[in-house]
Amino acid sequence: MTAPIGDGWTYKYDDDQIRGIKQTHQPSPWLNDYGAFSLMAVTGEMKFNQDDRASWFSHKAEQASPDYYSVYLASYDVTAEVTPTERAAQFRFTFPDADNAYIILDAFDKGSMVKILPEQRKIIGYARNNHGGVPDNFHNYFVAEFDKDFEISRTWTDEYQLNDDALQSEGEHVGAVIGFKTKRGEKVSVKIASSFISPEQAQLNLSREIGQDDFDTTRQKAHQNWQTELSRIEIEDQNKDNLRTFYSALYRVLLFPRKFYEYNEAGEVVHYSPYNGEVLPGYMFTDNGFWDTFRAVFPFFTLMYPELDAQIMEGLANTYKESGWLPEWASPGHRGVMIGSNSAVNIADAYLKGITDIDIDTLYEAILKNAQVDEGRPVSSVGREGVDYYNELGYVPYDVGIHENAARTLEYAFADFNIYRLAERLGKKDDAAKFKQKALNYQHLFDQQSGWMRGKNEDGSFQSPFNPLKWGDAFTEGNSLHYTWSVFHDIAGLKNLMGGDQAFVNKLDSVFSMPPDFDDSYYGFTIHEIREMQIVNMGNYAHGNQPIQHMSYLYNYAGQPWKAQYHVRNIMDKLYSATPDGYCGDEDNGQTSAWYVFSALGFYPVTPGSDEYILGSPLFDKATLHLQNGERFTINAKQNSAQNVYVDDAMLNGKAFNKTFLSHQQILNGGEITFDMTNKPNKTWATSKDAVPYSMSTADVAPH
């Protein structure tokens, strides 16, 4: 951590001093952290205040990978290393010749405790810091075991005041300092684990996950674990930069949601509930904003990690049982940020794609409650803000004091589509008919005069004045040009509203070709998402945030797939790289990475709740998916290059393939799709009516 305690921007690449290495549970700088504490090594004077102890460092003497981190703390001539397990880690500090060498455990503010046990070479304690979403009894308990005797044992209390010979300290912000003499090159190791359940569980986690392993053994196990995960997708290509970008993105897709469960002494899955404060059986996951991740992260889990997805679904059912609601943004409990009813999307998509060994009765009950009940919602993001208006009028009005109302309407309609599909699968015909009709609610907001989605007042009139370039207001972190395309389930219906295929394509083209103009008056300043759109020379296309990320694929729905191929490849090439600034905006729990992972493979899940993946432009010569059912699906791109971004022809399992989508089952069955790539658009490939992907309003006449 280069930033002060409490700063959500914990590690800033341009900073030049490190204050410590902390255990973090932070899913986002804006949500911030909880249960955090840190270790730091110093030599010479005993410096433990977070400002005083900071050490100069350089990226030239720093190494970071999924299984290992090291940094040279130049102010103290100490090298710090750390390697992880799921609930524990090992540190190794290499010291110089020093009469006074120290390791500092800072338990942070907002309530903490430390206790030094010199005879056992241990520090135990807890950290209670958080930014909301926790019960009153929240603690993160930790245990740290050292491999060297303590010659000095000190604790501090609030305001960094040293305690006189006290081995225990409890207060607002406390910490511990242990010290010893070291010889040059001497390594001191620390095994450390934590638990949200109890101090005893923290010790159990340490014993089970590290035990007698030394640092190098833990690192080797961590390396192998990540090799196993990253090897599920095997890439063969000569472009090393693209390989680095792909696997860096895949790594980030797999970081969230966080496993919030632990294994008790009997080996049973248990969790501390961030909703009611009890220790209960079963899975729990957290640190995820479904507004971001319903788009591609959860479809990725459904395809590549169905076993994990089933566990996450059990965790969602547990959340409902423990809090009365499904989560939309949990960290670790309900947090009142963002919009939508996207838990329904994640659940329906999983079940419809074969993940059925879950408590679907409880989850279906929870989904219906979200769609019908306003009373008792614990925070604004849970359930549906404005649900009574939505159910009465078919939209959330612009003029009733509910911000981002048009965005809510569009996302609720997509959730309703997913409920329709799930109800249909479950044989609930009345519910299916009801929610299928509600899935058409997007139509209420389409303004024929401007050709864009527009906020609508309670009396049925459109908001006025209306500027489609205005960010926020009726929309969420975007403008009407970004949100108009959020009819994921019925692009054919949206096309009809716009006037047909060519009018639809003209609208898509205009987003890319117009200047990056904007109206930021709703915010009163230019938010970073706006600036990130403005600077990349892609018109009003704003890939740095989520609402528009599927837009390039929509050309496939209007008979011009070559334009999807061009734009998808252009976005991959221009806006992603394996560098410190390798993202064009918010990464957001893996979503912006998942877009790249799918797009580099050559397809993308535009419509969760359908069984289709929409084709783009495969980036690699060969990619093999090793599926959990034991099958392999291989994507080949012949004559692929930076210039050959267009699909000239394709074959699926040796037969001519002329569609712009693959089905989920086609991939799960295993097999091979081969694309012939070229540098000129083929304007006849996959342009027939039956090549077009699923849309709800045309599915009955053209079933997929």
Side-chain angles (χ1 to χ4, degrees), residues 388-441:
D388 292 339
Y389 288 111
Y390 177 81
N391 288 340
E392 180 185 348
L393 302 172
Y395 60 94
V396 181
Y398 178 79
D399 59 346
V400 296
I402 299 174
H403 63 94
E404 302 169 10
N405 37 80
R408 293 179 195 276
T409 299
L410 294 170
E411 293 195 21
Y412 297 166
F414 182 55
D416 288 340
F417 162 77
N418 273 270
I419 299 172
Y420 143 61
R421 295 273 290 181
L422 179 59
E424 187 178 53
R425 180 67 59 88
L426 295 173
K428 300 178 185 293
K429 294 182 180 179
D430 290 346
D431 284 352
K434 171 184 172 182
F435 283 98
K436 184 177 184 180
Q437 186 61 39
K438 288 162 69 72
L440 296 172
N441 280 339

Side-chain angles (χ1 to χ4, degrees), residues 197-228:
I197 293 173
S198 68
E200 294 77 17
Q201 182 67 44
Q203 184 67 56
L204 183 60
N205 292 344
L206 184 60
S207 301
R208 182 179 281 133
E209 297 194 6
I210 293 182
Q212 299 305 308
D213 289 351
D214 62 13
F215 184 94
D216 292 328
T217 302
T218 298
R219 182 181 178 186
Q220 179 55 39
K221 288 181 177 179
H223 180 82
Q224 188 54 53
N225 283 339
W226 274 111
Q227 279 292 102
T228 299

Side-chain angles (χ1 to χ4, degrees), residues 11 13 59 61-71 82 219 248 251-252:
Y11 178 93
Y13 193 79
H59 300 303
E62 183 187 39
Q63 183 179 343
S65 61
D67 61 343
Y68 174 77
Y69 175 78
S70 72
V71 63
V82 61
R219 182 181 178 186
S248 297
Y251 160 74
R252 293 199 169 275

Side-chain angles (χ1 to χ4, degrees), residues 6-10 22 24-35 110 129-134 256 286-290 292 328-338 379 381 477 588-589:
D7 185 339
W9 303 92
T10 300
K22 77 167 176 172
T24 179
H25 307 99
Q26 178 171 300
S28 155
W30 295 277
L31 274 291
N32 217 302
D33 216 337
Y34 60 91
K110 300 186 179 180
N129 56 88
N130 66 85
H131 293 80
V134 300
F256 297 100
T286 190
D287 291 327
N288 213 256
F290 294 164
D292 303 290
E328 299 296 338
W329 229 125
S331 181
H334 295 305
R335 302 289 290 276
V337 292
M338 304 310 293
V379 294
S381 64
E477 297 179 3
D588 281 333
N589 296 151

Side-chain angles (χ1 to χ4, degrees), residues 513-695:
S513 63
M514 68 184 298
D517 296 334
F518 58 86
D519 174 353
D520 63 7
S521 60
Y522 175 75
Y523 302 105
F525 63 98
T526 306
I527 62 172
H528 71 90
E529 290 91 346
I530 294 176
R531 195 69 74 203
E532 288 154 0
M533 175 201 76
Q534 182 190 26
I535 62 177
V536 296
N537 194 22
M538 287 189 179
N540 238 268
Y541 181 76
H543 194 79
N545 208 20
Q546 283 64 44
I548 205 172
Q549 287 180 349
H550 66 295
M551 190 191 88
S552 298
Y553 286 92
L554 301 186
Y555 287 102
N556 287 301
Y557 294 75
Q560 297 192 21
W562 64 91
K563 288 187 177 178
Q565 296 153 23
Y566 168 79
H567 285 295
V568 167
R569 184 70 79 92
N570 189 44
I571 292 163
M572 282 192 279
D573 288 346
K574 282 184 66 173
L575 303 186
Y576 290 83
S577 63
T579 60
D581 63 346
Y583 289 102
C584 58
D586 294 344
E587 203 282 324
D588 281 333
N589 296 151
Q591 168 54 30
T592 300
S593 295
W595 184 94
Y596 185 90
V597 169
F598 269 121
S599 295
L601 295 174
F603 53 88
Y604 185 79
V606 168
T607 312
S610 78
D611 69 342
E612 293 180 359
Y613 303 92
I614 314 309
L615 299 184
S617 175
L619 184 63
F620 297 113
D621 295 345
K622 184 177 182 181
T624 303
L625 310 183
H626 298 275
L627 302 164
Q628 279 194 340
N629 64 3
E631 299 290 345
R632 295 182 182 183
F633 188 78
T634 301
I635 303 107
N636 299 302
K638 292 183 176 179
Q639 291 87 45
N640 198 17
S641 69
Q643 292 73 40
N644 291 3
V645 304
Y646 298 104
V647 176
D648 194 42
D649 206 356
M651 298 188 78
L652 178 64
N653 299 325
K655 297 180 180 178
F657 187 73
N658 225 348
K659 298 188 185 302
T660 60
F661 58 90
L662 285 166
S663 76
H664 186 71
Q665 199 58 49
Q666 283 173 325
I667 295 174
L668 285 192
N669 288 343
E672 182 175 51
I673 188 167
T674 299
F675 296 94
D676 290 324
M677 307 301 291
T678 179
N679 63 357
K680 293 183 176 62
N682 181 341
K683 297 186 179 182
T684 61
W685 180 79
T687 56
S688 64
K689 291 296 183 187
D690 66 351
V692 174
Y694 172 92
S695 284

